[in-house]
Amino acid sequence: MAFMHFDESIEMIQNLEINNYKTKKLYLVDTLGYVLAEDVIADHNSPEFPTSAMDGYAIIHEDMTLGTLKVGSINPAGSALKEEVIGGTCIKTFTGSLMPHGADTLIPIENVEVEGDEIIIKEEVPQGFSVREVGENYAKGQMLIPKGTKIDFPQIGVMASLNIANVLVYEKPTVAIISTGSELLELGEEQTNDSQIRSSNNYILEAIVNKYDGIPMQLGCIKDDKATITTAISDALEKSDIVVTTGGVSVGDFDFVKDVIYELGCDVVFKGVRVKPGQHIMVARKDDKFIIGLPGFAYSSTVTALLYLVPLIEKLQQGRSSLRKVKAKLAEPFVKRAKKAEFTACNINLIQGEYYVDFKDKKVGSSAILTNMLGNVALLATSEDDISKDIGDEVTVLLVD
């Protein structure tokens, strides 16, 4: 079989079109971590009227030359405006209060001395000082938060100020997780022969789905026979938006996942990529649902889940990538081992504003070494045309924090 260029496979994921996005309304405080499915536009000015930004006295600026002003009244925050400032007078005004009519400047309490019902101006301020203009925060009709924004605490605060109680968001996709392999043991299951291995893939995938904004549906380990795999994938496809399988996608006699996908009427987006680890990755779709066949080795399935599953979770909610690529410098040499795009576990450190990578305690071996993902880890990304690199060379690193 022909394996495609890694960049082409990523481009195919990016260019996938979704016909119908799932949306729902959520109460504002429940939207944290969801992606906004509509633009948020201001329906009023904030503030609606000139407002005081400090405690002080509302004055007419040109009256400062008088040196002494009579205090007409007190204007607490939240009270309706009654009196206006006329020449030679001022009104005591508090932070957040509407500026009284007639006044154009606020002189802070620190700048005056109070004597009876008068203030003596000790230090002058420029015209308009400490007055929040109409629309300083936002103006009516202004687009404040665009659709496709992941909602965090600032967005919740702004929407609350707009009195938006219910928010339209994209539904987080449900991801069904299946590990195939007759040799796999679930947590707590007793080992009965030496060929059995403890399954970690389904648990790390559940954690990845949770971390990167999907909803995991853990279906555990299933036996490596065609009937079992067909039933499991078919049922999972009914109940979820993405089905992710590990194992069963290479070219062995017992690798049935690819056959099952064809039989279920799915279209294969691609199969086989020149990437290490994970060259037998497969992505298929049926309408707006997806199946991702990941390799069985733990490190391979973890890396390919980050490269292909995470972008699909984001795509189904029109979100932006959670994973960032940064430039870094090598603190030790890097040996390029394969004529493929390669993702190599490395340690990353930020030193005086620059990222540095090294490979201390990272083992070289098969794609099964999941412990390489422990520590302050990132993935060093090299293309199939890259060669080995020396200390101080600049490299590209995929952050997974």
Side-chain angles (χ1 to χ4, degrees), residues 52 71 74 77 124 150 163 177 188 210-211 224 252 254-255 259 267 301 315 327 352 360 375 383 390 396:
S52 166
V71 180
I74 291 179
E124 294 191 358
K150 187 172 174 181
N163 195 31
I177 300 160
N210 265 322
K211 178 170 180 171
D224 231 345
F254 298 102
D255 291 338
D259 300 330
D267 297 314
S301 66
K315 180 166 280 290
K327 294 295 183 187
Q352 295 180 331
K360 185 175 183 293
S383 75
D390 295 322
T396 300

Side-chain angles (χ1 to χ4, degrees), residues 147-163:
K147 172 177 157 177
T149 300
K150 187 172 174 181
I151 298 168
D152 206 342
F153 60 86
Q155 287 78 19
I156 287 174
V158 168
M159 286 190 281
S161 73
L162 292 165
N163 195 31

Side-chain angles (χ1 to χ4, degrees), residues 25-26 64 71 76 83 108 116 144 166 196 272 332 370 390 395:
K25 285 262 187 181
L26 284 180
M64 274 202 298
V71 180
E83 298 183 37
L144 298 179
N166 295 295
Q196 293 172 321
E332 65 177 85
L370 185 58
D390 295 322
V395 290

Side-chain angles (χ1 to χ4, degrees), residues 263-283:
E263 284 183 23
L264 292 175
C266 301
D267 297 314
V268 174
V269 178
F270 59 80
K271 170 160 173 42
V273 177
R274 294 196 298 274
V275 63
K276 180 180 172 63
Q279 66 176 0
H280 293 293
I281 173 81
M282 175 168 62
V283 175

Side-chain angles (χ1 to χ4, degrees), residues 17-128:
E17 288 189 10
I18 307 301
N19 301 309
N20 296 296
Y21 288 94
K22 294 181 180 178
T23 60
K24 62 180 176 182
K25 285 262 187 181
L26 284 180
Y27 183 57
L28 177 63
V29 295
D30 296 327
T31 61
L32 186 70
Y34 280 83
V35 175
L36 193 61
E38 60 188 349
D39 293 334
V40 172
I41 295 167
D43 62 358
H44 62 275
N45 294 314
S46 172
E48 286 275 22
F49 304 96
T51 305
S52 166
M54 296 178 76
D55 292 348
Y57 295 85
I59 64 170
I60 299 166
H61 184 257
E62 61 191 31
D63 281 357
M64 274 202 298
T65 54
L66 300 173
T68 302
L69 297 172
K70 186 173 173 58
V71 180
S73 65
I74 291 179
N75 171 29
S79 63
L81 286 173
K82 294 190 181 76
E83 298 183 37
E84 67 177 283
V85 173
I86 55 175
T89 70
C90 64
I91 292 178
K92 189 167 188 184
T93 300
F94 296 88
T95 306
S97 301
L98 298 180
M99 283 295 288
H101 296 300
D104 61 5
T105 302
L106 186 99
I107 188 160
I109 53 175
E110 297 90 344
N111 292 31
V112 303
E113 208 171 88
V114 182
E115 278 195 3
D117 62 352
E118 289 185 327
I119 59 165
I120 299 160
I121 295 167
K122 297 187 297 181
E123 190 181 333
E124 294 191 358
V125 292
Q127 185 170 12

